[in-house]
Amino acid sequence: MNKSRYLKRVITILICIVIFSGIVFFVFTPSDFGNHGSVFYKYFRLSAISEETTRDITHLTNSSCQKCHTVEYQMQIEGAHKSLSCEFCHGPGSKHINLKEELIGHLIVAKDKALNDECLRCHNGQVTGREKGKKPIKTIIMPDHLKDKNVRLDHLCTQCHIVHQPLENIKHMNKIFARED
């Protein structure tokens, strides 16, 4: 007899939870959720598309930088950083130009010690998380790299490397010294 009394309570609680969940679902679910005729996207709000199109664009492509920064763009696409987005180092393009391509602000252009810090975000130590089969990013260990090259420890990366095409000067110097031998 006691078992049935507890069973009735459990069933009553479960029924209340189901009814409460149903009420919450109908009250808080948007009216266009899953109502757009697609079998594959039934858990999708149709109005989400129009809402996303009204958001301001934050990130631009490298080709949008090309229009004004032709020299830097050309150097980058021919250099070791060709797969790197301009925004990775300089920040969101939307803070620099608007959709009408008018200048609205200046982006980060690191100099001196800040530039070294920017380079060492990727090139100091081991870079993990690359896809299998991809060539690893060439890294260095500071200050060992400077000691190996017999330069002062306060040496800046740009004293040997061009930022947008980092190996260009190095290749050029290797050719010069190879010819002297």
Side-chain angles (χ1 to χ4, degrees):
M1 188 93 166
N2 282 341
K3 289 182 180 178
S4 67
R5 193 171 98 207
Y6 290 116
L7 187 61
K8 285 180 184 178
R9 285 182 183 169
V10 170
I11 291 174
T12 305
I13 290 172
L14 288 174
I15 290 172
C16 289
I17 290 172
V18 168
I19 290 171
F20 179 75
S21 299
I23 291 170
V24 167
F25 177 79
F26 286 110
V27 169
F28 292 105
T29 302
S31 60
D32 66 341
F33 182 77
N35 297 328
H36 46 81
S38 174
V39 175
F40 300 107
Y41 299 106
K42 62 183 178 179
Y43 300 107
F44 179 74
R45 259 182 337 104
L46 186 60
S47 61
I49 295 171
S50 59
E51 288 173 12
E52 287 300 312
T53 59
T54 61
R55 290 176 73 184
D56 290 336
I57 294 174
T58 302
H59 299 288
L60 306 175
T61 63
N62 284 3
S63 60
S64 54
C65 303
Q66 176 188 11
K67 295 172 186 170
C68 299
H69 305 280
T70 53
V71 173
E72 293 86 351
Y73 177 82
Q74 195 62 38
M75 286 171 48
Q76 187 204 8
I77 64 168
E78 293 172 357
H81 288 157
K82 62 182 159 234
S83 63
L84 191 63
S85 168
C86 299
E87 293 181 336
F88 186 78
C89 299
H90 296 289
S94 63
K95 293 183 178 180
H96 184 52
I97 59 170
N98 61 18
L99 293 177
K100 297 176 186 172
E101 297 182 353
E102 300 166 331
L103 181 67
I104 57 172
H106 297 283
L107 295 180
I108 299 164
V109 179
K111 294 184 182 344
D112 302 327
K113 174 81 172 87
L115 180 61
N116 274 14
D117 293 342
E118 191 69 29
C119 296
L120 295 175
R121 282 175 45 195
C122 295
H123 295 286
N124 195 18
Q126 184 178 1
V127 178
T128 58
R130 303 262 307 161
E131 294 177 34
K132 289 186 179 188
K134 289 262 187 171
K135 186 177 176 185
I137 295 173
K138 182 170 172 129
T139 58
I140 58 171
I141 304 294
M142 293 295 265
D144 297 348
H145 175 69
L146 299 175
K147 290 175 185 174
D148 292 345
K149 302 300 178 189
N150 295 316
V151 296
R152 291 187 353 227
L153 297 183
D154 61 347
H155 205 72
L156 298 175
C157 299
T158 52
Q159 288 177 274
C160 296
H161 302 277
I162 302 170
V163 175
H164 295 98
Q165 203 173 28
L167 298 177
E168 188 61 29
N169 283 351
I170 305 304
K171 289 177 185 175
H172 185 68
M173 293 307 290
N174 286 339
K175 286 180 187 175
I176 290 172
F177 287 114
R179 288 184 191 152
E180 290 179 358
D181 289 341

